[in-house]
Amino acid sequence: MNPPAPGASPHFMEPDPIRVERVTTASKVFAHTRWDAVPALASLFHLAYFLALFFLYPRTPLWVMLILGFIYALMVNANINGIGHNFIHNPFFRSPLLNRLFGIVQSIACCFSQTYYDAVHMQHHKGNADRPDQTGETIDWISIYKHGHDGEAENPWSYVFLSFFRDDVGAIRRELRKRGNGDLLWGNLELAAFATTLFVMFLFNWRYMLFYFLPFFYLGHCFSYLNGYYRHYGADPDKPMAWGVSSYGKIYNWLFFYNGYHAEHHFRPKVHWTKMEGFHRQIADLQKREGVRVIERAHMLGFLDPNLPRRGKRLGGATLSAASAELNK
C-alpha cells in the first residue's frame, strides 16, 4: 500500500497501484484512438455552425436566429468542456502541426485561444479548486473559492457572470512563456485568428456582431462557468479522490465526451474519455469510502440537485464556512 497523497484524508490509502488503461492505435493520424475522430469532427461542425450564423442572420426570421443563437451558446459550453478539455489532456493527432492547426479551429469556433485555455486549465489541475491561503491567493486561477469569503465557495451568480472578465492575460502569457515550446506564439496566433474573423464580420455587419453574436458568445462562456461551478461545489478540496463532483447521465456524457466523470478525471487527468466508464468501475468502492459527491443532473443544472449543500448552513454541527476555515488551519 502507498502512503496517502499530500492533503488526502488520513483514512485514504491508495491501492498499489491503481492501473490506468492507456489507449493505443495503429492509426497514422490519431495519437490514441480513432474514436477521437468524433470530437474532431464535432469541432469542425461547431466552426461551420459559427460561420453559418453570420450568413443566416440577414436572411432568417429573428425568432429562428434567437433559437440558433441559444444553441450556439450551448455548443460553446459543450465544446470547451468536452472537445477542448479532452484535447488538452490527450491531444488527438500524432502530428504536432495538425494539433496546432486544430487548436486554431477550436479558437475560431469558440472565440478564445485554445492554448491560453490550456494554461488556465493546467493551473486548475495544480490547485484542484483549492481554498485561499493565508494571503488570500489560490493556486487554481478559476477556483470557486478564490473570490469567496471565510473559506466558503463564491456565490454562483457572481462566479458565473463575472469569471469571464477575470482572466489575468499577463499571468497566462508568463505561464506559456515558461514552457518554452512555442505555446505563447501559437496562443497569440489563435488570438489573432479569431479576432481577425470577428473584425471582418464586424466590418460586413456590425449590428450582427454587437446585438446578436456577442451576447450569445458571452452566454456560452457563462454556461461554461456554470458547468465548472457545479463540477466542484460540494466536493472536498482536501481529498484527491473527491476533488470533483461527478454526474453519470448517459446523454450528458455522450455530448460532453465523458467530462461528467469529473471526480475520476481530477484523480487521474490522463485517463482517456473512452476509458472513463471502466475507470469509474475500478475505483467505485474507494470513491464511496472517500465520500465522492455525485449529482443526478448535468453539471450545468447542478443548482437543481435536491441534495445540494447550502452555503453557510449547518454541516456536522458547524457552518460550512467555519468547517472550511478549520480545514485551512
Side-chain angles (χ1 to χ4, degrees), residues 300-318:
M300 197 174 83
L301 301 176
F303 55 90
L304 297 176
D305 184 68
N307 299 313
L308 191 70
R310 293 191 177 184
R311 298 172 63 253
K313 296 297 182 181
R314 307 294 291 183
L315 176 65

Side-chain angles (χ1 to χ4, degrees), residues 32 92 145 153 173 218 221 288 292 304:
H32 305 285
F92 300 155
Y145 297 97
R173 284 176 174 165
Y218 171 66
H221 284 266
K288 289 179 182 177
V292 170
L304 297 176

Side-chain angles (χ1 to χ4, degrees), residues 157-173:
W157 290 96
S158 59
Y159 185 86
V160 168
F161 292 107
L162 297 180
S163 289
F164 178 84
F165 306 102
R166 289 172 173 168
D167 280 341
D168 186 339
V169 177
I172 298 172
R173 284 176 174 165

Side-chain angles (χ1 to χ4, degrees), residues 16-328:
D16 188 12
I18 291 179
R19 300 188 183 279
V20 176
E21 184 180 356
R22 298 291 183 182
V23 289
T24 58
T25 178
S27 171
K28 294 182 179 179
V29 176
F30 295 99
H32 305 285
T33 170
R34 289 181 175 89
W35 279 107
D36 280 333
V38 178
L41 289 173
S43 176
L44 292 175
F45 175 77
H46 187 188
L47 176 63
Y49 190 97
F50 161 70
L51 297 174
L53 287 178
F54 177 75
F55 291 102
L56 288 172
Y57 181 75
R59 303 171 179 86
T60 307
L62 178 60
W63 69 270
V64 175
M65 289 306 301
L66 292 176
I67 294 173
L68 293 178
F70 187 76
I71 292 173
Y72 174 76
L74 293 174
M75 290 173 68
V76 168
N77 177 26
N79 191 332
I80 292 173
N81 294 289
I83 301 167
H85 174 254
N86 280 296
F87 182 67
I88 286 172
H89 291 284
N90 294 293
F92 300 155
F93 305 105
R94 291 193 184 278
S95 165
L97 178 60
L98 197 53
N99 282 322
R100 293 296 191 183
L101 294 176
F102 183 77
I104 292 177
V105 170
Q106 278 286 100
S107 300
I108 296 175
C110 295
C111 296
F112 78 147
S113 165
Q114 173 71 29
T115 304
Y116 276 56
Y117 171 35
D118 186 312
V120 174
H121 189 69
M122 286 297 99
Q123 197 70 24
H124 172 58
H125 276 280
K126 291 177 183 177
N128 294 289
D130 57 324
R131 297 184 179 90
D133 59 18
Q134 292 81 358
T135 66
E137 295 297 320
T138 56
I139 298 171
D140 178 0
W141 294 334
I142 56 173
S143 172
I144 64 173
Y145 297 97
K146 184 177 178 67
H147 297 279
H149 302 285
D150 300 320
E152 190 176 339
E154 180 180 3
N155 184 294
W157 290 96
S158 59
Y159 185 86
V160 168
F161 292 107
L162 297 180
S163 289
F164 178 84
F165 306 102
R166 289 172 173 168
D167 280 341
D168 186 339
V169 177
I172 298 172
R173 284 176 174 165
R174 287 192 294 273
E175 181 61 30
L176 293 177
R177 188 177 292 111
K178 285 194 301 183
R179 297 181 180 183
N181 59 357
D183 274 5
L184 180 59
L185 171 63
W186 280 96
N188 288 336
L189 287 175
E190 291 165 358
L191 290 175
F194 85 75
T196 300
T197 302
L198 295 184
F199 181 67
V200 171
M201 288 181 172
F202 178 84
L203 292 179
F204 278 93
N205 194 334
W206 63 271
R207 290 182 179 85
Y208 166 82
M209 286 303 303
L210 293 183
F211 302 119
Y212 177 80
F213 178 75
L214 288 181
F216 283 116
F217 157 73
Y218 171 66
L219 180 63
H221 284 266
C222 289
F223 283 159
S224 179
Y225 284 112
L226 178 62
N227 219 337
Y229 188 90
Y230 287 103
R231 285 200 305 258
H232 289 279
Y233 183 74
D236 191 335
D238 300 297
K239 290 183 179 180
M241 181 66 74
W243 273 332
V245 174
S246 287
S247 176
Y248 300 128
K250 291 285 187 183
I251 295 176
Y252 169 48
N253 278 289
W254 289 340
L255 292 173
F256 281 71
F257 297 98
Y258 288 84
N259 196 25
Y261 289 69
H262 211 67
E264 294 82 355
H265 172 66
H266 269 267
F267 187 56
R268 289 293 186 271
K270 291 296 288 183
V271 175
H272 194 271
W273 63 272
T274 59
K275 299 298 180 182
M276 198 59 76
E277 285 182 301
F279 182 63
H280 165 65
R281 289 191 294 268
Q282 181 184 349
I283 64 172
D285 290 340
L286 286 169
Q287 289 183 312
K288 289 179 182 177
R289 288 207 298 268
E290 286 296 290
V292 170
R293 178 167 168 73
V294 177
I295 58 176
E296 294 184 3
R297 295 173 174 83
H299 287 106
M300 197 174 83
L301 301 176
F303 55 90
L304 297 176
D305 184 68
N307 299 313
L308 191 70
R310 293 191 177 184
R311 298 172 63 253
K313 296 297 182 181
R314 307 294 291 183
L315 176 65
T319 63
L320 284 174
S321 58
S324 298
E326 183 66 25
L327 284 169
N328 256 343

